[in-house]
Amino acid sequence: MNSSREKLAATLFKRYEHNPILTADIWPYPINSVFNPAAVKINGQVLLLNRVEELCGFSHLTCARSNDGLTGWVIDKKPTMKADQSNKEEKWGLEDPRAVWLEEQKQYAITYVSFSEGGPVVSLAITKNFHTFARLGGLLPPEDKDACLFPRRFNGRFALIHRPIVRGEAHIWLSLSPDLKHWGDHRVLLRTRHAYWDASRVGLACQPIELPEGWLMLYHGVRTTTSSQLYRIGVALLDLEEPWHVLRRSEEWVLGPKERYERIGDVNDVTFVSGAVVMEEKNQLYAYYGAADDKVAVAMADMDLLREYIMACPEVTE
Ligand code: BMA
């Protein structure tokens, strides 16, 4: 127990008072729900690429843009990126995108879950503008989810964080590639922790955030209870030059279902961060999340407090 660190964990993220920010009833066309967005800064705006569930249950991706990341969202009038159902890889829709600026390509890389005939697979698309997309196809075999690239190479290779299911276990993995096509050196990055809040499953939350101390990795942890699966968010710190080394990991979660819009929805008790942007002028991280699998909300954390918190978390020695 470390009560000052626990206090920090409980107060680090402040929910936006007008949450949720995106809901089905403000959508320009009929949908069931909107949740789990990728988030980037582009042309001075915050862009969310949202997972939108259609009335048949399949999902597609649609952009919403805002000048301040909180208000005045302008939503694309029709789906921005729809599944190509003639393609077996995308048969049952597109879900849970993450996006990152690739410094070398000067383009955004979007990793999203394609619901293929063989199960969920992580696919990659590249875009400059979030209007047109070059689809590069599936990266690794199913079942795989919760993936994002880093913005640059490490020793000449791209790194992908992802979450395959292996022997029924759901740990976070990291894999390397020289060309974004051929992947190898697969290794477990972060495991579930018996009896903890992240005992049942873990998966990457948003894109990795670069700090002077290392890469900040937000991740979701799941605890299965008799009534639901609780999706909460924790943090880890990865080495800057060799991000397959975990330096620190939070004991506590830093965001979890509390408010009514997080506790009740299509899937109760879910806070699922999938995109974040650093708002330099405010020195804050805006973390965007799906709330109860049917709306989008945002919570903000002071960057200095985030750094203070992660450096107070226990070191990982294995
Ligand atoms: C995960 C994903 C997410 C979803 C979450 C909670 O497995 O499918 O899209 O938000 O479960 O239901």
Side-chain angles (χ1 to χ4, degrees):
M1 285 254 301
N2 174 328
S3 56
S4 65
R5 196 192 66 217
E6 285 177 355
K7 189 164 174 223
L8 196 50
T11 53
L12 205 47
F13 279 95
K14 315 261 189 252
R15 291 167 175 82
Y16 176 48
E17 55 181 334
H18 300 300
N19 272 345
I21 53 171
L22 297 175
T23 52
D25 46 287
I26 62 160
W27 223 247
Y29 53 91
I31 61 167
N32 174 56
S33 54
V34 50
F35 55 117
N36 301 1
V40 295
K41 273 189 164 172
I42 180 168
N43 303 329
Q45 291 188 302
V46 174
L47 179 148
L48 300 184
L49 183 66
N50 301 280
R51 170 176 174 187
V52 173
E53 194 181 280
E54 300 164 16
L55 295 165
C56 68
F58 299 169
S59 295
H60 63 256
L61 310 179
T62 294
C63 288
R65 296 171 175 81
S66 155
N67 290 335
D68 63 4
L70 300 173
T71 59
W73 293 95
V74 177
I75 304 163
D76 281 1
K77 296 282 175 288
K78 52 184 183 30
T80 311
M81 195 173 164
K82 222 171 149 34
D84 169 9
Q85 281 170 319
S86 64
N87 178 346
K88 285 186 178 169
E89 183 187 315
E90 302 188 357
K91 190 159 180 196
W92 291 306
L94 312 179
E95 304 183 354
D96 300 355
R98 274 82 173 180
V100 69
W101 173 250
L102 285 186
E103 292 166 6
E104 185 181 313
Q105 272 84 352
K106 307 227 176 324
Q107 300 208 45
Y108 295 93
I110 307 165
T111 35
Y112 53 97
V113 175
S114 294
F115 236 105
S116 79
E117 280 192 343
V121 67
V122 171
S123 299
L124 174 63
I126 303 281
T127 186
K128 275 196 167 66
N129 49 27
F130 287 85
H131 294 297
T132 53
F133 303 87
R135 279 159 147 97
L136 303 187
L139 300 184
L140 289 161
E143 173 174 348
D144 204 3
K145 282 186 174 187
D146 303 320
C148 194
L149 290 166
F150 285 78
R152 57 173 177 272
R153 297 177 192 245
F154 303 96
N155 301 328
R157 290 194 289 177
F158 293 99
L160 179 78
I161 298 178
H162 59 121
R163 207 287 307 279
I165 303 282
V166 181
R167 291 191 305 260
E169 294 174 6
H171 311 300
I172 299 175
W173 288 61
L174 187 144
S175 301
L176 298 171
S177 168
D179 56 6
L180 294 176
K181 186 144 190 71
H182 303 93
W183 293 90
D185 277 337
H186 312 291
R187 61 194 111 190
V188 175
L189 184 67
L190 204 87
R191 291 181 183 276
T192 55
R193 286 185 294 200
H194 180 69
Y196 274 74
W197 60 272
D198 49 5
S200 309
R201 276 200 295 282
V202 288
L204 176 72
C206 57
Q207 69 272 46
I209 310 288
E210 189 170 4
L211 300 177
E213 294 84 2
W215 296 97
L216 183 73
M217 180 176 78
L218 274 65
Y219 72 95
H220 64 257
V222 182
R223 163 172 255 171
T224 306
T225 73
T226 41
S227 65
S228 71
Q229 295 195 313
L230 284 161
Y231 274 76
R232 297 176 174 127
I233 302 297
V235 293
L237 188 71
L238 313 180
D239 186 86
L240 261 191
E241 304 305 324
E242 297 184 338
W244 42 91
H245 294 308
V246 181
L247 305 177
R248 293 177 186 271
R249 179 179 187 174
S250 64
E251 293 262 305
E252 307 83 18
W253 66 89
V254 294
L255 184 71
K258 258 205 177 125
E259 299 295 331
R260 193 182 160 78
Y261 57 86
E262 299 162 343
R263 301 230 43 207
I264 299 170
D266 272 1
V267 182
N268 293 348
D269 294 325
V270 178
T271 48
F272 195 92
V273 172
S274 42
V277 293
V278 178
M279 303 299 271
E280 277 94 7
E281 57 294 353
K282 296 194 156 170
N283 196 36
Q284 283 187 335
L285 183 78
Y286 283 16
Y288 295 90
Y289 60 103
D293 272 13
D294 59 3
K295 36 198 141 31
V296 175
V298 57
M300 297 84 126
D302 179 89
M303 290 299 291
D304 295 331
L305 290 179
L306 253 180
R307 289 170 63 187
E308 184 184 323
Y309 173 68
I310 191 66
M311 293 312 286
C313 288
E315 284 185 60
V316 175
T317 45
E318 65 176 85

